[in-house]
Amino acid sequence: MKILYVYEHLTIYGGVERILIEKMNYLVNNYNEKVFLLTYNQGCHEMPFQIDDRVEYTDLGIMTYLSYRYRGLHGLWDKFKRLTLFRYKLKDYIDNLKPDIIITTTIGPINHLLKTKGNARLIIESHGGYDYIMDLPKNSFKNRWKYRLQKHRIMKADSVVSLTEGDANLWRTIHNHVVVIPNFIHFNLKGIYSSLEHKQVIYVGRFFYQKAIPDLVEIWKLVNKRHPDWSLELYGKGVYEDFLNDVISHYDYNIKCHPPTSDIYKHYIESSIFIIASYYESFSLVIGEAMSCGLPVVAFNCPFGPGEQIVNGENGFLVENRDIFIFADRVCQLIEDIELRKKMGRTGVTYVQRYRPEIIMPMWKEFMESMVY
């Protein structure tokens, strides 16, 4: 079976990038599948994570983002030429490869793939979630047209794979073949768990809008008033870096920012609580990672990941209605009760075993075989 992953670029040290590469590596290592990765805007950027040598990688070098160098008709003409070149190169690549399965995680290339995929089965893997892709404001003819167009294209795909049951139920309103396969967790392999006695709370993730970084700061301001000896350690990068640096330089909330690191498990183990304040999550890899290190988790009950990963009161706390005061109270409750922290931490370690690669990847293999044979 020839499996082709099509992705715009893999340049960010993010959860989606990592899990895609790890799945490709697993397929060639454990199942000896023929796996191919095709990007079109990678250019000279290095891959953020190591790809197995047996995964055959090609970049088409389209660089569609360069069209934004120009304004007006010049920009539109440049974009048209690049998209035309993309379709030509994509068709040539697929005609020669003749894949059995094509998987994409973004809707950008779907229209081109529908016209060039040949006999391959086209699968949309929903990492952003239905709301992120389809929840467009209907306040203008342009947006209503864009929504109908996206819906029409997605309906033509052979299947949608969702990471959570809640997200899958939304996709089922527009597609007849939706399956749920959660991400597997990149487990803590050190065999060492946090003692939960460190006066550190940790957040790991991008500093983007989705992650509600300003809300995280507001929550920590409330926690800091009651427990100024505890610190909030943030690991990531993104558009809120300047905001965070400004907060740190002007206020003494005991917040510290760190760049992404390849040894994040060391820092999970040095912490006692994991918090995340996202507006939405399809499936949060970092929640599972933190649990695998023995950390209880506090999160807003947003669509849809946290609610399917956290059992409220058992391996962490789910906070309703984006109430930052209750969120801060839950963090303080865990700070003040080490026995509760340890109980939830032990429960979390057991709970995340269901997301082991050897459990999740056979689901992928069975699903892909059912699509082809």
Side-chain angles (χ1 to χ4, degrees):
M1 183 163 51
K2 290 182 179 179
I3 305 164
L4 171 62
Y5 284 84
V6 178
Y7 204 69
E8 181 179 358
H9 57 77
L10 292 162
T11 59
I12 301 172
Y13 284 87
V16 175
E17 289 76 9
R18 187 177 66 189
I19 195 65
L20 284 176
I21 290 173
E22 288 183 348
K23 282 194 284 192
M24 287 184 268
N25 290 346
Y26 195 99
L27 288 167
V28 297
N29 276 312
N30 295 77
Y31 297 134
N32 292 315
E33 296 288 0
K34 296 176 181 177
V35 178
F36 303 82
L37 169 62
L38 182 69
T39 60
Y40 50 95
N41 281 341
Q42 187 76 17
C44 61
H45 295 93
E46 292 185 3
M47 288 287 174
F49 304 100
Q50 184 66 41
I51 297 181
D52 191 284
D53 291 338
R54 286 171 290 178
V55 176
E56 295 190 28
Y57 169 58
T58 302
D59 179 55
L60 297 181
I62 306 300
M63 312 305 182
T64 56
Y65 57 86
L66 292 179
S67 298
Y68 295 101
R69 297 177 301 175
Y70 310 110
R71 295 182 179 181
L73 292 176
H74 191 177
L76 291 173
W77 176 243
D78 188 79
K79 183 177 180 180
F80 172 78
K81 288 192 297 182
R82 291 179 187 276
L83 290 177
T84 301
L85 179 63
F86 174 48
R87 183 176 297 177
Y88 172 80
K89 285 190 171 184
L90 182 67
K91 185 178 188 309
D92 185 62
Y93 179 90
I94 290 176
D95 285 348
N96 285 307
L97 179 64
K98 294 181 174 55
D100 300 296
I101 295 280
I102 300 175
I103 300 173
T104 185
T105 64
T106 55
I107 112 168
I110 288 177
N111 186 43
H112 302 288
L113 288 169
L114 286 169
K115 294 178 179 179
T116 60
K117 71 184 185 71
N119 294 322
R121 300 295 186 182
L122 178 59
I123 297 166
I124 301 170
E125 191 174 346
S126 172
H127 281 270
Y130 177 91
D131 282 341
Y132 177 75
I133 296 174
M134 298 301 300
D135 190 20
L136 299 170
K138 311 299 192 303
N139 57 352
S140 69
F141 173 79
K142 179 181 178 181
N143 284 335
R144 289 192 295 271
W145 175 80
K146 186 176 180 182
Y147 172 84
R148 287 195 293 269
L149 187 61
Q150 288 184 182
K151 178 180 176 181
H152 177 71
R153 290 171 178 172
I154 288 169
M155 288 173 65
K156 284 190 170 184
D158 294 284
S159 185
V160 174
V161 175
S162 182
L163 306 181
T164 64
E165 193 61 46
D167 184 52
N169 287 334
L170 293 179
W171 282 116
R172 289 180 181 122
T173 63
I174 66 170
H175 203 287
N176 293 326
H177 195 275
V178 180
V179 299
V180 178
I181 306 178
N183 283 331
F184 65 75
I185 299 298
H186 189 242
F187 273 77
N188 163 28
L189 300 177
K190 294 179 180 291
I192 303 171
Y193 303 97
S194 173
S195 67
L196 302 184
E197 296 177 356
H198 310 281
K199 292 186 176 183
Q200 291 186 182
V201 175
I202 188 172
Y203 162 83
V204 179
R206 301 178 187 182
F207 300 157
F208 287 174
Y209 167 80
Q210 172 199 352
K211 306 298 184 179
I213 299 301
D215 285 357
L216 211 57
V217 170
E218 290 301 312
I219 290 164
W220 190 253
K221 284 167 61 177
L222 297 170
V223 174
N224 178 256
K225 287 180 181 179
R226 294 163 62 176
H227 299 282
D229 54 333
W230 279 65
S231 68
L232 174 60
E233 310 288 331
L234 303 166
Y235 289 85
K237 62 186 304 185
V239 295
Y240 279 102
E241 284 181 75
D242 289 342
F243 164 78
L244 288 168
N245 289 330
D246 188 59
V247 169
I248 291 168
S249 64
H250 287 85
Y251 304 97
D252 185 18
Y253 296 141
N254 210 358
I255 297 174
K256 300 171 186 174
C257 276
H258 310 273
T261 172
S262 59
D263 192 15
I264 191 61
Y265 290 91
K266 173 180 181 292
H267 303 290
Y268 284 133
I269 292 167
E270 292 172 349
S271 304
S272 294
I273 303 166
F274 182 84
I275 62 175
I276 186 168
S278 300
Y279 290 114
Y280 59 90
E281 287 283 345
S282 56
F283 182 94
S284 176
L285 292 172
V286 290
I287 286 178
E289 291 173 354
M291 284 186 187
S292 79
C293 295
L295 302 187
V297 178
V298 184
F300 284 123
N301 190 15
C302 64
F304 285 100
E308 297 194 22
Q309 295 171 270
I310 300 171
V311 181
N312 190 41
E314 294 189 20
N315 56 4
F317 287 120
L318 282 171
V319 179
E320 302 292 340
N321 303 318
R322 299 203 61 82
D323 191 319
I324 65 170
F325 296 97
I326 293 178
F327 196 117
D329 283 342
R330 291 290 179 258
V331 176
C332 290
Q333 183 180 354
L334 287 169
I335 287 175
E336 294 158 7
D337 191 340
I338 189 170
E339 292 306 316
L340 179 62
R341 291 205 304 271
K342 290 184 175 180
K343 179 182 177 182
M344 286 188 170
R346 289 192 298 269
T347 302
V349 170
T350 301
Y351 182 87
V352 294
Q353 301 307 309
R354 68 190 65 192
Y355 300 122
R356 298 188 72 86
E358 56 267 31
I359 293 176
I360 300 300
M361 288 309 294
M363 297 168 65
W364 266 105
K365 182 170 175 59
E366 181 180 354
F367 163 67
M368 288 190 286
E369 289 178 345
S370 72
M371 297 295 293
V372 173
Y373 303 121

